[in-house]
């Protein structure tokens, strides 16, 4: 795959804005491992090779074990994921697949997430999903290859 453009990072203002978004995501009180799993799962759904590659590395650095990383695509029936992670992943999948059906983030999905996370944490999870989907769309459109470093 050949990238369609060479500078996907944009200017310093873009980088600074992205850093502020991630600062808010990680300040929300959700365990970093859960945030990285959410990012990686949304990236898998969207087929973003650059984000899947970077997300796997980030998740491992955050302490997610290799068994859990390998089982993420089938998290729903995998006993390695606890109830809070399952709720976060269900929310991430529903919010990523908005176009698949009306009302994709059902009251049941939201209620289960709210059983495990307070409002600030829910905001952090939703922001991580939104930022991930944003970057997935940019990177897949530009054909950013796996292994690309963002400085």
């Amino acid at each position: 795959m050949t990238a369609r453009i060479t500078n996907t990072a944009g200017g310093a203002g873009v980088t600074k804005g992205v850093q502020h978004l991630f600062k808010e995501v990680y300040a929300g009180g959700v365990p970093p491992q859960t945030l990285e799993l959410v990012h990686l799962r949304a990236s898998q759904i969207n087929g973003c090779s650059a984000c899947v590659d970077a997300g796997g590395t980030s998740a491992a650095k955050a302490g997610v074990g290799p068994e859990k990383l390998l089982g993420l695509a089938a998290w729903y029936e995998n006993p390695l994921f606890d109830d809070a992670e399952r709720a976060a992943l269900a929310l991430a999948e529903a919010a990523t697949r908005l176009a698949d059906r009306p009302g994709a983030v059902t009251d049941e999905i939201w209620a289960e997430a709210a059983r495990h996370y307070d409002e600030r944490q829910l905001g952090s999870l939703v922001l991580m999903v939104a930022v991930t989907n944003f970057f997935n769309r940019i990177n897949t459109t530009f054909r950013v290859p796996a292994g690309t470093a963002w400085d």
Side-chain angles (χ1 to χ4, degrees), residues 25-114:
V25 166
Y26 287 99
V30 176
Q33 298 89 348
T34 302
L35 290 170
E36 296 302 336
L37 289 169
V38 161
H39 166 77
L40 183 54
R41 184 63 190 128
S43 297
Q44 288 174 335
I45 291 166
N46 289 324
C48 180
S49 63
C51 292
V52 168
D53 180 65
T57 300
S58 294
K61 284 182 183 177
V64 178
E67 297 85 7
K68 196 174 265 191
L69 286 173
L70 291 171
L72 182 59
W75 64 268
Y76 192 80
E77 296 179 358
N78 190 320
L80 293 175
F81 297 89
D82 64 32
D83 289 343
E85 290 168 332
R86 289 176 192 282
L89 290 166
L91 179 61
E93 285 197 6
T96 296
R97 295 180 168 167
L98 291 176
D100 290 355
R101 64 186 176 281
V105 182
T106 65
D107 289 341
E108 293 78 15
I109 289 170
W110 185 261
E112 183 60 17

Side-chain angles (χ1 to χ4, degrees), residues 12-26 131 135 150-151:
V14 172
T15 301
K16 188 174 182 178
V18 169
Q19 288 170 343
H20 284 297
L21 287 172
F22 278 117
K23 182 179 177 185
E24 287 302 311
V25 166
Y26 287 99
V131 170
F135 281 110
W150 295 275
D151 298 322

